[in-house]
Amino acid sequence: MKTAPRIITILAVACLMMLFFYPLWRITLIAPQYPDGVTMYIWINKITGDSPGTLQNINILNHYVGMKHIEPDSIPELTYFPWVVGALGLLGLIAAFVNKSGLHLAWAVVFLVLAALGIYDFYLWEYDYGHNLSPTAPIKVPGMSYQPPLFGSKMLLNFNAISYPGTGGIFMGISMFLAFVAWWIKRKTARS
Amino acid sequence: MNPLKQLSVLAAAAILVLPACTNNNEGAQNTGAINKSSAAEKVYVAPGEYDEFYSFMSGGFSGQVSVYGLPSGRLLKVIPVFSVDGEKGYGFNEETKPLLETSHGFIPWDDAHHPELSQTKGKPDGKYLFINGNNTPRVARIDLSTFETAEIIELPNAGGNHSSPFTTENSEYVVAGTRFSVPIPQSDMSIADYKGKFKGSLSFISVDPEHGHMDIDFQVLMPGFDYDLAHGGKGKSHGWMFFTTYNTEESHTLKEVNASQNDKDYIAAINWKKAQEYIEQGKFKEMDSEYLINRYDEKKHLAETIKKNKVRVLDPTECPGVVYFLPTPKSPHGVDVDPTGSYIIGNGKLNANLTVHSFDKMIQAIENKSFADEAYGIPVLNFEDVAAGTVESGGLGPLHTEFDGQGNAYTTFFISSEVVKWKLGTWEVLDRVPTYYSVGHLMIPGGDSKEPWGKYMVALNKITKDRYLPTGPELAHSAQLYDISGDKMELILDFPTIGEPHYAQAIAADIVMNRSKKIYSLEENEHPHAAKSESEARVEKNGNEVHVYMTTIRSHFAPDNIEGIEAGDKVYFHVTNLEQDWDVPHGFSVLGAQNAELLIMPGQTETLLWEPLKPGIYPFYCTDFCSALHQEMQGYLRVSAKGQAPEVLATTGD
Ligand SMILES: [Cu+2]
């Protein structure tokens, strides 16, 4: 049982690293003219779609209601998020190597705080895109904003916006869960 | 005229007139369908669902190809091929104009008869569709990933390219044969000197397996007959190509009588593998012959013309073993090879019966050197040596036969206006159904390949008379769909067609639909005048030549205000559609354009030449309802009098 928390933490770090290979979040827009939907993937370092033209297509649709263009180059988070995730992974490896209850807890808490901040940041971006509309938009619906949901689905005019974690996001959730499991096991074995 | 001939012509006349006489009594009540509700069920494709087959019908004198879904008979697309098409700007925009270039100049129309799908191992592979242009001899290749004409090759030494473009098992070749023999090489001579002086040519057009590019590998120089139709051997007869001939009388006038005198004409059997050997041995003549190959480059989004000056010609008298003649009664039209490659069916169009030749017997006779005769040095086999059997059809005027892959053949009879189903090998007639009226070719999906999908048969009719609501003197031709899955053929649908579908081909939908392109990649656009983003949009004026590099995206043009143009300028609008979404073309049209519109697919660049005559303000706009703000997708051009133009200005949104 002594090495279990170490192995679990290393596993957690491996799950976290999936963020470099899979998107964190996915937002799908479905409308009558888009029966298959248009899906946008938010990674820690880029924004992609199910085709090379997806982002352009979403921007075209969004500009009618005056939403800003989504320009990955102008989103600073996409530059520093990979470093944050990398540092968090490094911290996890240190926790695994030292394998002390306190350090396991510290890692789990830092992880939790960073994840919460990340989701709050994501919410702020969504809020900004959905509310900060151009006053010269061709289509203006009084009282209407176009903020997609963080989690779940919501009708935005003719589009149903569906937002859920991507594969990388799910791995991140598992990673965080494992971080706490490692700490909990460590604490139990330390006491006994 | 011999008495028998007179009799059959009379019979033909009587039968042709008959439907017209009985119109008032029966007319449109004659549905021909056995059971209306079960027929309706069979052709019903629910909204949002797909058809089982793509069928490609030639447009005949429309020069185009129309694409219908089967069994619904829904029109999916009209593909412009040999005729200009204002709807798509085809032949009007600068990019597609070269496709219609020939050694006779720009030819904006042709008569397209026979679509033929490319094949791999004797089965349609869904890559290309070939079609012949009969009038100014040409063959076109349509790319089935885009459903656009990709290439048109001109045929030298030909007059009337009718027996074309039938394919070999792996589309090593598609062929082309002269329907109208002419002096080869062309010369100014008396028409009355036709006999012996006029020649036919059979072209073997190679198809590059990777890119589909066509070129003429060689031509076989033939006697001055009319070469009507063709089909490739398959299986054991792979390596052979069969052409029907008529006018073996070599008459040059009043052919309806003079070309119908010989009791038997020929099917010309061409051993193209043998011909290849002679080519390799250098036993060809290089003839000076001018012809053009026009290829559309999908990355550059434009067609380019290659000029050719020479063609390799084989003289069959110097190349023994390449050509044999199989005597076949009564001016045969279609020549059709069954799926096993064993039988060659000659559809003697002035006959009641159908002649079937045996490939094995033909090979045997050739090995035995059992020749009845020679025609211009080409061995003629004995009819009795090669005949496998005769179908005593009870009909009149057989034109064309296809197969269901289950040992049955289906033959159209033009004069008696019916389709007869018969059994290969026993030659017995199994069933017959009327067509409305005067059927030409018929088509079974994959019906001229090694593996037909023997579920449906389509009869392509020349005369519709009372079948549909009248539309003045000009009536549509028609297609009739029959269910042939049972013992009895059952008429289940009847729909009007575009132009005159001489022949059609069909293929299982999934083979084609999975390869279908949705957009052109903007990134890969190599058009020399593309503007790949709004920042590249601009106007360049050089003397009286103006190049407008314009972009479209929902829902505006860039630039949309243009000044600095003078009356008499040549203005080229190079419009790039920046969209990368499926089904979002934009159109471009401008007041006073003497050509057509542009219809630009996502990622594509097209060019319209505009020559304004008078000063003033000219609006331009998007013609394809692209978005909620489509009506706002418009702009203005200012045209000034010569020498009065202000600085060039090109803006969007000030
Ligand atoms: Cu438009």
PDB file of all heavy atoms in Angstrom, chain A residues 34 53 56-57 60-61 63-64 138, chain B residues 553-555 578-581 627 629:
ATOM      1  N   TYR A  34     -28.249  23.052 -40.381  1.00  0.00           N
ATOM      2  CA  TYR A  34     -27.048  22.309 -39.976  1.00  0.00           C
ATOM      3  C   TYR A  34     -27.459  21.047 -39.248  1.00  0.00           C
ATOM      4  O   TYR A  34     -27.276  20.929 -38.044  1.00  0.00           O
ATOM      5  CB  TYR A  34     -26.150  23.192 -39.090  1.00  0.00           C
ATOM      6  CG  TYR A  34     -25.547  24.344 -39.850  1.00  0.00           C
ATOM      7  CD1 TYR A  34     -26.220  25.558 -39.966  1.00  0.00           C
ATOM      8  CD2 TYR A  34     -24.326  24.198 -40.501  1.00  0.00           C
ATOM      9  CE1 TYR A  34     -25.686  26.603 -40.704  1.00  0.00           C
ATOM     10  CE2 TYR A  34     -23.782  25.247 -41.225  1.00  0.00           C
ATOM     11  CZ  TYR A  34     -24.461  26.435 -41.320  1.00  0.00           C
ATOM     12  OH  TYR A  34     -23.930  27.469 -42.052  1.00  0.00           O
ATOM     13  N   GLY A  53     -12.923  24.649 -41.862  1.00  0.00           N
ATOM     14  CA  GLY A  53     -13.688  25.882 -42.025  1.00  0.00           C
ATOM     15  C   GLY A  53     -14.638  26.186 -40.880  1.00  0.00           C
ATOM     16  O   GLY A  53     -15.347  27.196 -40.909  1.00  0.00           O
ATOM     17  N   GLN A  56     -14.540  29.646 -39.080  1.00  0.00           N
ATOM     18  CA  GLN A  56     -15.013  30.686 -40.003  1.00  0.00           C
ATOM     19  C   GLN A  56     -16.538  30.624 -40.124  1.00  0.00           C
ATOM     20  O   GLN A  56     -17.211  31.649 -40.103  1.00  0.00           O
ATOM     21  CB  GLN A  56     -14.363  30.497 -41.375  1.00  0.00           C
ATOM     22  CG  GLN A  56     -14.938  31.430 -42.432  1.00  0.00           C
ATOM     23  CD  GLN A  56     -14.230  31.297 -43.773  1.00  0.00           C
ATOM     24  OE1 GLN A  56     -13.021  31.305 -43.852  1.00  0.00           O
ATOM     25  NE2 GLN A  56     -14.995  31.181 -44.845  1.00  0.00           N
ATOM     26  N   ASN A  57     -17.073  29.391 -40.221  1.00  0.00           N
ATOM     27  CA  ASN A  57     -18.518  29.245 -40.374  1.00  0.00           C
ATOM     28  C   ASN A  57     -19.252  29.757 -39.141  1.00  0.00           C
ATOM     29  O   ASN A  57     -20.286  30.415 -39.256  1.00  0.00           O
ATOM     30  CB  ASN A  57     -18.883  27.780 -40.639  1.00  0.00           C
ATOM     31  CG  ASN A  57     -18.267  27.288 -41.930  1.00  0.00           C
ATOM     32  OD1 ASN A  57     -17.970  28.076 -42.824  1.00  0.00           O
ATOM     33  ND2 ASN A  57     -18.051  25.985 -42.034  1.00  0.00           N
ATOM     34  N   ILE A  60     -19.178  33.488 -39.154  1.00  0.00           N
ATOM     35  CA  ILE A  60     -20.132  34.056 -40.116  1.00  0.00           C
ATOM     36  C   ILE A  60     -21.526  34.088 -39.499  1.00  0.00           C
ATOM     37  O   ILE A  60     -22.232  35.095 -39.556  1.00  0.00           O
ATOM     38  CB  ILE A  60     -20.128  33.243 -41.430  1.00  0.00           C
ATOM     39  CG1 ILE A  60     -18.827  33.485 -42.203  1.00  0.00           C
ATOM     40  CG2 ILE A  60     -21.314  33.632 -42.296  1.00  0.00           C
ATOM     41  CD1 ILE A  60     -18.641  32.553 -43.389  1.00  0.00           C
ATOM     42  N   LEU A  61     -21.904  32.977 -38.877  1.00  0.00           N
ATOM     43  CA  LEU A  61     -23.237  32.911 -38.267  1.00  0.00           C
ATOM     44  C   LEU A  61     -23.339  33.933 -37.136  1.00  0.00           C
ATOM     45  O   LEU A  61     -24.350  34.617 -36.998  1.00  0.00           O
ATOM     46  CB  LEU A  61     -23.500  31.497 -37.736  1.00  0.00           C
ATOM     47  CG  LEU A  61     -23.495  30.405 -38.809  1.00  0.00           C
ATOM     48  CD1 LEU A  61     -23.554  29.033 -38.174  1.00  0.00           C
ATOM     49  CD2 LEU A  61     -24.645  30.597 -39.785  1.00  0.00           C
ATOM     50  N   HIS A  63     -21.790  36.745 -36.714  1.00  0.00           N
ATOM     51  CA  HIS A  63     -21.693  38.175 -37.019  1.00  0.00           C
ATOM     52  C   HIS A  63     -23.057  38.795 -37.322  1.00  0.00           C
ATOM     53  O   HIS A  63     -23.241  39.996 -37.189  1.00  0.00           O
ATOM     54  CB  HIS A  63     -20.668  38.437 -38.138  1.00  0.00           C
ATOM     55  CG  HIS A  63     -21.238  38.569 -39.514  1.00  0.00           C
ATOM     56  ND1 HIS A  63     -21.599  37.492 -40.274  1.00  0.00           N
ATOM     57  CD2 HIS A  63     -21.517  39.680 -40.266  1.00  0.00           C
ATOM     58  CE1 HIS A  63     -22.060  37.926 -41.446  1.00  0.00           C
ATOM     59  NE2 HIS A  63     -22.023  39.235 -41.472  1.00  0.00           N
ATOM     60  N   TYR A  64     -24.029  37.969 -37.692  1.00  0.00           N
ATOM     61  CA  TYR A  64     -25.365  38.515 -37.950  1.00  0.00           C
ATOM     62  C   TYR A  64     -25.972  39.133 -36.699  1.00  0.00           C
ATOM     63  O   TYR A  64     -26.711  40.097 -36.758  1.00  0.00           O
ATOM     64  CB  TYR A  64     -26.312  37.427 -38.476  1.00  0.00           C
ATOM     65  CG  TYR A  64     -25.966  36.988 -39.875  1.00  0.00           C
ATOM     66  CD1 TYR A  64     -25.643  35.661 -40.142  1.00  0.00           C
ATOM     67  CD2 TYR A  64     -25.972  37.901 -40.927  1.00  0.00           C
ATOM     68  CE1 TYR A  64     -25.312  35.256 -41.420  1.00  0.00           C
ATOM     69  CE2 TYR A  64     -25.646  37.497 -42.208  1.00  0.00           C
ATOM     70  CZ  TYR A  64     -25.320  36.176 -42.442  1.00  0.00           C
ATOM     71  OH  TYR A  64     -24.994  35.783 -43.703  1.00  0.00           O
ATOM     72  N   PRO A 138     -26.758  43.393 -37.883  1.00  0.00           N
ATOM     73  CA  PRO A 138     -27.937  43.364 -38.759  1.00  0.00           C
ATOM     74  C   PRO A 138     -29.175  42.807 -38.058  1.00  0.00           C
ATOM     75  O   PRO A 138     -30.286  43.258 -38.293  1.00  0.00           O
ATOM     76  CB  PRO A 138     -27.516  42.445 -39.906  1.00  0.00           C
ATOM     77  CG  PRO A 138     -26.029  42.354 -39.844  1.00  0.00           C
ATOM     78  CD  PRO A 138     -25.645  42.588 -38.421  1.00  0.00           C
TER      79      PRO A 138
ATOM     80  N   ILE B 553     -18.291  36.579 -49.139  1.00  0.00           N
ATOM     81  CA  ILE B 553     -18.560  35.828 -47.913  1.00  0.00           C
ATOM     82  C   ILE B 553     -19.876  36.382 -47.384  1.00  0.00           C
ATOM     83  O   ILE B 553     -20.187  37.553 -47.618  1.00  0.00           O
ATOM     84  CB  ILE B 553     -17.387  35.963 -46.910  1.00  0.00           C
ATOM     85  CG1 ILE B 553     -17.462  34.847 -45.865  1.00  0.00           C
ATOM     86  CG2 ILE B 553     -17.341  37.330 -46.266  1.00  0.00           C
ATOM     87  CD1 ILE B 553     -16.128  34.511 -45.236  1.00  0.00           C
ATOM     88  N   ARG B 554     -20.663  35.530 -46.713  1.00  0.00           N
ATOM     89  CA  ARG B 554     -21.963  35.988 -46.239  1.00  0.00           C
ATOM     90  C   ARG B 554     -21.816  37.243 -45.383  1.00  0.00           C
ATOM     91  O   ARG B 554     -21.112  37.215 -44.378  1.00  0.00           O
ATOM     92  CB  ARG B 554     -22.640  34.882 -45.402  1.00  0.00           C
ATOM     93  CG  ARG B 554     -23.313  33.815 -46.255  1.00  0.00           C
ATOM     94  CD  ARG B 554     -23.585  32.570 -45.485  1.00  0.00           C
ATOM     95  NE  ARG B 554     -22.329  31.872 -45.206  1.00  0.00           N
ATOM     96  CZ  ARG B 554     -22.249  30.808 -44.380  1.00  0.00           C
ATOM     97  NH1 ARG B 554     -23.325  30.354 -43.764  1.00  0.00           N
ATOM     98  NH2 ARG B 554     -21.090  30.219 -44.167  1.00  0.00           N
ATOM     99  N   SER B 555     -22.423  38.344 -45.754  1.00  0.00           N
ATOM    100  CA  SER B 555     -23.213  38.542 -46.966  1.00  0.00           C
ATOM    101  C   SER B 555     -22.740  39.813 -47.653  1.00  0.00           C
ATOM    102  O   SER B 555     -23.477  40.779 -47.762  1.00  0.00           O
ATOM    103  CB  SER B 555     -24.691  38.675 -46.611  1.00  0.00           C
ATOM    104  OG  SER B 555     -25.131  37.554 -45.863  1.00  0.00           O
ATOM    105  N   LEU B 578     -14.937  32.899 -50.429  1.00  0.00           N
ATOM    106  CA  LEU B 578     -14.142  32.566 -49.238  1.00  0.00           C
ATOM    107  C   LEU B 578     -14.832  31.541 -48.337  1.00  0.00           C
ATOM    108  O   LEU B 578     -14.236  31.053 -47.379  1.00  0.00           O
ATOM    109  CB  LEU B 578     -13.863  33.834 -48.417  1.00  0.00           C
ATOM    110  CG  LEU B 578     -13.088  34.954 -49.104  1.00  0.00           C
ATOM    111  CD1 LEU B 578     -12.924  36.140 -48.150  1.00  0.00           C
ATOM    112  CD2 LEU B 578     -11.716  34.456 -49.551  1.00  0.00           C
ATOM    113  N   GLU B 579     -16.080  31.229 -48.629  1.00  0.00           N
ATOM    114  CA  GLU B 579     -16.816  30.278 -47.780  1.00  0.00           C
ATOM    115  C   GLU B 579     -16.116  28.923 -47.760  1.00  0.00           C
ATOM    116  O   GLU B 579     -15.533  28.497 -48.749  1.00  0.00           O
ATOM    117  CB  GLU B 579     -18.237  30.075 -48.325  1.00  0.00           C
ATOM    118  CG  GLU B 579     -19.046  31.343 -48.476  1.00  0.00           C
ATOM    119  CD  GLU B 579     -19.632  31.835 -47.165  1.00  0.00           C
ATOM    120  OE1 GLU B 579     -19.444  31.157 -46.134  1.00  0.00           O
ATOM    121  OE2 GLU B 579     -20.242  32.919 -47.175  1.00  0.00           O
ATOM    122  N   GLN B 580     -16.203  28.259 -46.602  1.00  0.00           N
ATOM    123  CA  GLN B 580     -15.703  26.886 -46.496  1.00  0.00           C
ATOM    124  C   GLN B 580     -16.778  26.011 -45.868  1.00  0.00           C
ATOM    125  O   GLN B 580     -16.503  25.110 -45.085  1.00  0.00           O
ATOM    126  CB  GLN B 580     -14.411  26.852 -45.667  1.00  0.00           C
ATOM    127  CG  GLN B 580     -13.237  27.500 -46.384  1.00  0.00           C
ATOM    128  CD  GLN B 580     -12.728  26.676 -47.554  1.00  0.00           C
ATOM    129  OE1 GLN B 580     -11.917  25.781 -47.413  1.00  0.00           O
ATOM    130  NE2 GLN B 580     -13.234  26.956 -48.759  1.00  0.00           N
ATOM    131  N   ASP B 581     -18.021  26.315 -46.215  1.00  0.00           N
ATOM    132  CA  ASP B 581     -19.151  25.579 -45.669  1.00  0.00           C
ATOM    133  C   ASP B 581     -19.900  24.937 -46.842  1.00  0.00           C
ATOM    134  O   ASP B 581     -19.959  25.513 -47.928  1.00  0.00           O
ATOM    135  CB  ASP B 581     -20.070  26.555 -44.919  1.00  0.00           C
ATOM    136  CG  ASP B 581     -20.950  25.842 -43.908  1.00  0.00           C
ATOM    137  OD1 ASP B 581     -20.914  24.599 -43.862  1.00  0.00           O
ATOM    138  OD2 ASP B 581     -21.669  26.544 -43.169  1.00  0.00           O
ATOM    139  N   SER B 627     -28.046  33.639 -47.834  1.00  0.00           N
ATOM    140  CA  SER B 627     -28.147  33.889 -46.400  1.00  0.00           C
ATOM    141  C   SER B 627     -29.311  34.831 -46.134  1.00  0.00           C
ATOM    142  O   SER B 627     -29.951  35.332 -47.049  1.00  0.00           O
ATOM    143  CB  SER B 627     -26.861  34.544 -45.902  1.00  0.00           C
ATOM    144  OG  SER B 627     -26.706  35.788 -46.564  1.00  0.00           O
ATOM    145  N   LEU B 629     -29.156  37.751 -45.295  1.00  0.00           N
ATOM    146  CA  LEU B 629     -28.871  39.091 -45.815  1.00  0.00           C
ATOM    147  C   LEU B 629     -28.423  39.023 -47.275  1.00  0.00           C
ATOM    148  O   LEU B 629     -27.660  39.870 -47.746  1.00  0.00           O
ATOM    149  CB  LEU B 629     -27.826  39.775 -44.938  1.00  0.00           C
ATOM    150  CG  LEU B 629     -28.382  40.056 -43.545  1.00  0.00           C
ATOM    151  CD1 LEU B 629     -27.274  40.294 -42.548  1.00  0.00           C
ATOM    152  CD2 LEU B 629     -29.336  41.246 -43.584  1.00  0.00           C
TER     153      LEU B 629
END
